[in-house]
């Protein structure tokens, strides 16, 4: 059945959840994402046990930046009867990706108890533990994943990274090499291997070559460009360093996350922009181009000051949860830095908390600005 | 490159891991015959100084500060004495020789209660006796070293000197920034903390109350007091440009970064950009960001704690090391000249090896006397969040890295039993208290006994490693340690520099003698040349100087003395 036929079928059989879900997938593929989402949502309401569709819906929502709804869709699935482990794994992954490892860990711990041979569950549990700074336990979980699926490159590479962070460098190197034997262009393994070699004090040219291999494997990834630039800089190759930092900056800039992902994601991204800006300023100054250096320095300072001030206000706000004044200040700060969605969120929180003077007017201004912007 | 890892890579989470404390309680590894051994001689030396609040949790940011220590020769007997700063009382231990120390706190007048935190030593009144400044929370004390009835007595002259005791002070430094022959005083401050400020903060999961980070508080900034002579100081913070400091400071280091004869100042700030104050003679410029020393490699602010200057690569330029918070590797900034620095921690092997610790005390010092400065770190966390993270306790291991051709090799497990006993490390001071030619250590434990460590060179080393300690004294009838003097030694075309400073590390005060490890000197037992550039710019050059001794050089004197 092709798409028009399916659309007609759904019109005639509006309670056929399966058909709606299938139609939603087809619409999404053909670029009609809004209509596709509508069909997916409706289909899942009618047929809530279509777990694969639920995962798909969550991923589409996540890609759009609708994290809360994505999470909610998965939570509904996980809390229904006996869901397949893939739903919990997906929810765990989303928790980790949004910095909620404290929610991911119990979920995944329960999962590996009931499904002890589920390799991906162990892998995600390892990641959750890593991000909660429990590296030894993380390594146990990642090793379990790698034992269960010894030819899964991602697991081998993750074990290598966990070993590297535990300073077990020769073992880490072996794991990265095992991953690369299976897939020679796997970026994480190439990058991890380069870092491991650097940390072991391997000859500079060899480390440079290792980072170059990582760049070649994933030219759009800013990480290896940045690291390679650092190696060049340390070796006195300022031209290579400038090239690398510029490449890293361009790639980071292309990865701006939607504001709806929240401050944490934006802060991380801003930090990732700052890093090459900071290094470019330093390299350009050494190359005798102070005017060019000043451009990057100014940009770095603006971003850095914004980020640090938000961090300070957030820390104080967490201590004084009923003080809306701090949220209002945060909102104004976001607005001054062009983050209008975040500004609106903070000012709404300010109004909810204590409605400080000027909050409503600030909200009006931001709503007006957002109406004038491309993404209201 | 930690921050770029967030961009959708699984490496992100792997990059954010910390130490498992149980693994930190390591057994000493088999002895490496080339590594000097440190022995904990605290008890046998007669030192009994404990700090701590009985395991109280959580701690406020003030309670987690800890305190420092200092080596100084307060009674001018040629032996370094030990000052231990703490709450509610400091302690001064006189070095009686033969490895024994005696508590003289009461008899010298240092037995005043207060929330004492850091210390600095220097002869501010040029009477030839080392004075003291002790920082604290809402208190401080400038102690003038006097002799009364033949005995040393420290007299509190804070008020008459015009020094204001306010704020949350941390480290301090005596240094003659205006080169008028009088030691000025820089006092670093941390955060605005008091009963009306947040006391405890919740962990990220909201379950546990713990120590708040510095982010929660407003920054307090340091003060610079110019010594006007006659026992009076004048607050010239703004006039000198020190108001450009970012605040939230822990460590202060002093050194002449551009070899212009003027001492410059580095201030390590906690989660704020670091401040490098370039001395222009009558004011300073804050060149932290421009010099490349204000931020981590990725341009992020760091939890800067301790700082020290030293020439790790013997290129004649002072490099800078800064200890940082957990998951932030300690930073080694290589001085590239023209007041530009490059952060080279990954290239020298300090990246992964130091990020698992919260670094405080730090010294760039030649432990094994091979002629290249090594690195010592005193580590200790500021909060105990084991309720939410069993891998994160407060006590941590000290670390020793030997400089092997410009790369730092972690030899902590081979350097003796003290390196396998965790402590909540804070202040650290280096000094040759037994006058045997190598640098010993004192370290404070925020929740335990301060430690006195003795360094012993390996006896089975195939070649002799020579040394020289230079005591540089100013001119005049009552000469004092010439803080700011630069000592250069040369042999077979190899040049090494040290500066005479008591500042550096964190909350602590150092042996003012310039200490050189010299390696085997190719079988020779003399140095071709020793040059001292005095703080006023004049120089003295000595030829064919015998090694393995303490050399006293007096400014303006025709001859030098060798005390050993």
């Amino acid at each position: 059945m092709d798409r028009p036929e399916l659309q007609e079928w759904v019109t005639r059989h509006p309670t056929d959840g399966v058909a709606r879900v299938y139609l939603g997938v087809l619409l999404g593929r053909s670029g009609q994402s809004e209509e596709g989402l509508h069909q997916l949502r409706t289909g899942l309401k009618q047929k809530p046990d279509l777990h694969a569709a639920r995962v798909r819906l969550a991923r589409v929502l996540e890609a759009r930046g609708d994290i809360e709804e994505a999470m909610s869709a998965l939570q509904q699935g996980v809390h229904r009867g006996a869901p397949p482990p893939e739903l919990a794994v997906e929810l765990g992954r989303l928790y980790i990706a949004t910095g909620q490892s404290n929610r991911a860990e119990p979920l995944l711990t329960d999962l590996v108890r009931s499904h002890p041979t589920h390799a991906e569950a162990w892998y995600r549990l390892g990641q959750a533990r890593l991000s909660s700074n429990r590296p030894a336990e993380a390594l146990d979980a990642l090793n379990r994943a790698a034992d269960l699926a010894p030819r899964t490159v991602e697991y081998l590479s993750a074990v290598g990274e966990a070993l590297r962070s535990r300073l077990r460098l020769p073992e880490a190197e072996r794991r990265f090499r095992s991953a690369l034997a299976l897939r020679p262009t796997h970026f994480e393994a190439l990058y991890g291997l380069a870092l491991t070699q650097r940390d072991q004090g391997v000859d500079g040219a060899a480390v440079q070559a290792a980072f170059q291999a990582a760049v070649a494997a994933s030219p759009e990834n800013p990480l290896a460009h940045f690291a390679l630039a650092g190696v060049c800089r340390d070796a006195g190759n300022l031209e290579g360093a400038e090239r690398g930092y510029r490449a890293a900056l361009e790639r980071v800039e292309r990865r701006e996350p939607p504001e709806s992902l929240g401050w944490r994601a934006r802060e991380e991204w801003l930090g990732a922009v700052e890093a090459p800006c900071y290094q470019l300023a330093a390299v350009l100054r050494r190359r005798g181009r102070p005017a060019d250096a000043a451009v990057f320095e100014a940009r770095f300072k603006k971003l850095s000051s914004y980020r640090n001030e938000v961090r300070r206000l957030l820390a104080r706000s967490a201590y004084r949860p009923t003080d809306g004044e701090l949220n209002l200040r945060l909102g104004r700060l976001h607005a001054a830095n062009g983050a209008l969605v975040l500004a609106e969120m903070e000012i709404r929180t300010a109004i909810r908390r204590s409605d400080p003077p000027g909050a409503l007017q600030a909200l009006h201004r931001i709503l007006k600005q957002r109406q004038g912007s491309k993404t209201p | 490159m930690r921050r770029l890892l967030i961009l959708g890579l699984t490496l992100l989470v792997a990059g954010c891991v910390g130490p498992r404390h149980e693994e930190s309680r390591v057994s000493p590894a088999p002895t490496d015959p080339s590594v000097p051994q440190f022995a904990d001689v605290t008890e046998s030396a007669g030192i009994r100084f404990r700090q701590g609040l009985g395991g109280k949790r959580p701690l406020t940011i003030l309670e987690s500060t800890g305190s420092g220590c200092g080596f100084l020769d307060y009674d001018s007997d040629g032996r370094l004495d030990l000052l231990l700063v703490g709450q509610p009382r400091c302690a001064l231990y006189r070095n009686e020789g033969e490895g024994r120390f005696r508590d003289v706190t009461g008899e010298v007048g240092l037995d005043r209660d207060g929330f004492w935190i850091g210390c600095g030593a220097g002869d501010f009144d040029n009477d030839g006796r080392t004075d003291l400044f002790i920082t604290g929370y809402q208190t401080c004390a400038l102690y003038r070293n006097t002799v009364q009835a033949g005995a040393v007595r420290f007299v509190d002259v804070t008020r008459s000197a015009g020094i204001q005791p306010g704020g949350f002070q941390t480290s301090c430094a005596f240094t003659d920034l205006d080169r008028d022959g009088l030691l000025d005083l820089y006092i670093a401050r941390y955060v605005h903390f008091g009963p009306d400020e947040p006391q405890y903060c919740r962990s990220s999961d909201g379950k546990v109350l713990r120590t708040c980070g510095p982010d929660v508080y407003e920054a307090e900034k340091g003060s610079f007091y110019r010594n006007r002579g006659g026992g009076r100081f004048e607050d010239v913070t703004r006039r000198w440009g020190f108001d450009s400091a970012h605040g939230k400071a822990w460590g202060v280091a002093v050194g002449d970064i551009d070899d212009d004869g003027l001492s410059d100042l580095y201030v390590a700030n906690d989660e704020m950009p670091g401040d490098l104050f370039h001395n222009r003679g009558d004011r300073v410029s804050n060149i932290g960001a421009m010099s490349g020393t204000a931020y981590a490699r990725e341009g992020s602010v760091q939890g800067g704690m301790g700082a020290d200057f030293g020439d790790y690569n013997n290129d004649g330029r002072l490099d800078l090391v800064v200890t940082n918070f957990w998951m932030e590797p300690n930073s080694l900034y290589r001085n590239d000249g023209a007041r530009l620095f490059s952060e080279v921690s990954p290239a020298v092997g300090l990246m992964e090896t130091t990020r698992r610790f919260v670094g405080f005390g730090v010294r760039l010092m030649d432990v094994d006397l091979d002629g290249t400065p090594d690195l010592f770190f005193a580590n200790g966390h500021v909060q105990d969040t084991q309720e939410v993270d069993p891998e994160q306790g407060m006590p941590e291991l000290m670390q020793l890295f030997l400089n092997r051709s410009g790369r730092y090799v972690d030899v902590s497990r081979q350097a003796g039993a003290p390196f396998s006993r965790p402590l909540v490390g804070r202040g650290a001071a280096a000094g040759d208290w037994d006058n045997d030619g190598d640098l010993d250590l004192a370290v404070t434990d925020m929740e335990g006994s301060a430690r006195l460590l003795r360094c012993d060179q390996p006896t089975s080393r195939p070649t002799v490693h020579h040394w020289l300690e230079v005591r540089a004294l100013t001119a005049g009838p009552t000469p004092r340690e010439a803080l700011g003097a630069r000592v250069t030694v040369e042999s077979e075309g190899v040049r090494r520099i040290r500066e005479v400073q008591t500042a550096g590390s964190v909350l602590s005060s150092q042996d003012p003698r310039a200490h050189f490890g010299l390696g085997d000197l190719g079988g020779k037992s003399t140095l071709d040349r020793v040059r001292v550039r005095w703080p006023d710019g004049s120089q003295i050059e000595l030829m064919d100087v015998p090694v393995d001794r303490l050399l006293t050089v007096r400014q303006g004197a025709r001859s030098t003395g060798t005390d050993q």
Side-chain angles (χ1 to χ4, degrees), chain A residues 133 135 166 223 226 271 316, chain B residues 1 3 9 16 23 216 391:
Chain A
N133 296 316
R166 305 298 300 148
L223 276 170
F226 188 90
R316 289 189 80 81
Chain B
M1 194 57 244
R3 281 209 316 247
L9 289 176
C16 299
E23 289 180 11
V216 176
E391 298 189 4

Side-chain angles (χ1 to χ4, degrees), chain A residues 3 41 52 77 103 125 149 176 182 191 196 203 237 277 290 327-329 346 353:
Chain A
R3 185 161 52 84
R41 284 182 183 122
R103 298 178 79 180
L125 178 61
F176 287 130
L182 293 167
Y191 182 67
T196 308
D203 165 65
N237 174 6
C277 284
N327 299 93
L328 178 58
R329 282 164 66 185
E346 286 297 343
R353 282 182 167 179

Side-chain angles (χ1 to χ4, degrees), chain B residues 11 29 101 164 220 260 268 273 295 308 364 383 401 421 442 499:
Chain B
L11 293 179
F101 286 71
Q164 299 299 316
E220 282 190 355
D260 62 356
Y295 302 92
D308 197 20
L364 255 167
Q383 57 191 7
F401 291 82
R421 280 180 50 217
E499 287 203 354

Side-chain angles (χ1 to χ4, degrees), chain A residues 96 102 123-124 127 130-137 157-158 161-162 164-167 187-188 191-192 195 198-201 221-223 226-227 230-231 233-234 245 248 252 255 265 268-276 278-279 285-286 297 300-301 304 307-308 311-313 315-316 319-320 329, chain B residues 1 3-11 13-20 23 196-201 204-205 212 215-218 248 271 273 289-301 326-327 334 336 340-344 346-347 349 351-353 355-356 388-392 407:
Chain A
I96 297 165
N102 55 326
Y123 170 62
R124 296 291 177 199
Q127 288 190 310
L130 275 175
S131 48
S132 325
N133 296 316
R134 303 157 79 98
E137 292 169 70
S157 188
E161 190 50 32
R164 191 181 77 81
S165 69
R166 305 298 300 148
L167 292 179
F187 174 79
E188 280 81 0
Y191 182 67
L195 290 173
R198 184 196 68 187
D199 294 344
Q200 289 182 105
N221 194 306
L223 276 170
F226 188 90
V231 174
R233 187 189 152 158
D234 290 346
Y245 289 131
V252 173
R255 293 177 170 216
E268 299 277 16
W269 177 74
L270 290 170
V273 176
E274 273 174 39
Y278 175 70
Q279 287 294 348
R285 205 175 297 116
R286 279 168 173 73
E297 194 165 291
F300 162 76
K301 279 189 172 167
S304 175
R307 233 162 46 90
N308 290 333
R311 213 166 54 155
R312 196 180 68 78
L313 288 172
R316 289 189 80 81
Y319 182 75
R320 298 198 165 117
R329 282 164 66 185
Chain B
M1 194 57 244
R3 281 209 316 247
L4 289 180
L5 292 175
I6 56 97
L7 294 169
L9 289 176
T10 52
L11 293 179
V13 282
C16 299
V17 293
R20 183 180 177 84
E23 289 180 11
D196 297 332
E197 294 294 322
Q199 303 293 301
Y200 311 110
C201 290
S204 54
D205 61 4
C212 299
D215 288 344
V216 176
Y217 306 101
E218 299 289 342
K248 301 190 183 179
E271 300 302 333
M290 200 176 284
S291 67
T293 58
Y295 302 92
R297 198 177 175 86
E298 312 91 88
S300 54
V301 290
W326 185 65
M327 295 321 297
R334 183 186 66 209
D336 295 331
L340 295 172
F341 289 76
S342 295
E343 207 269 309
V344 293
M351 190 83 174
E352 293 301 325
T353 44
R355 67 187 301 175
R356 302 173 298 142
V388 287
D389 180 359
E391 298 189 4
Q392 190 172 317
R407 192 166 174 86

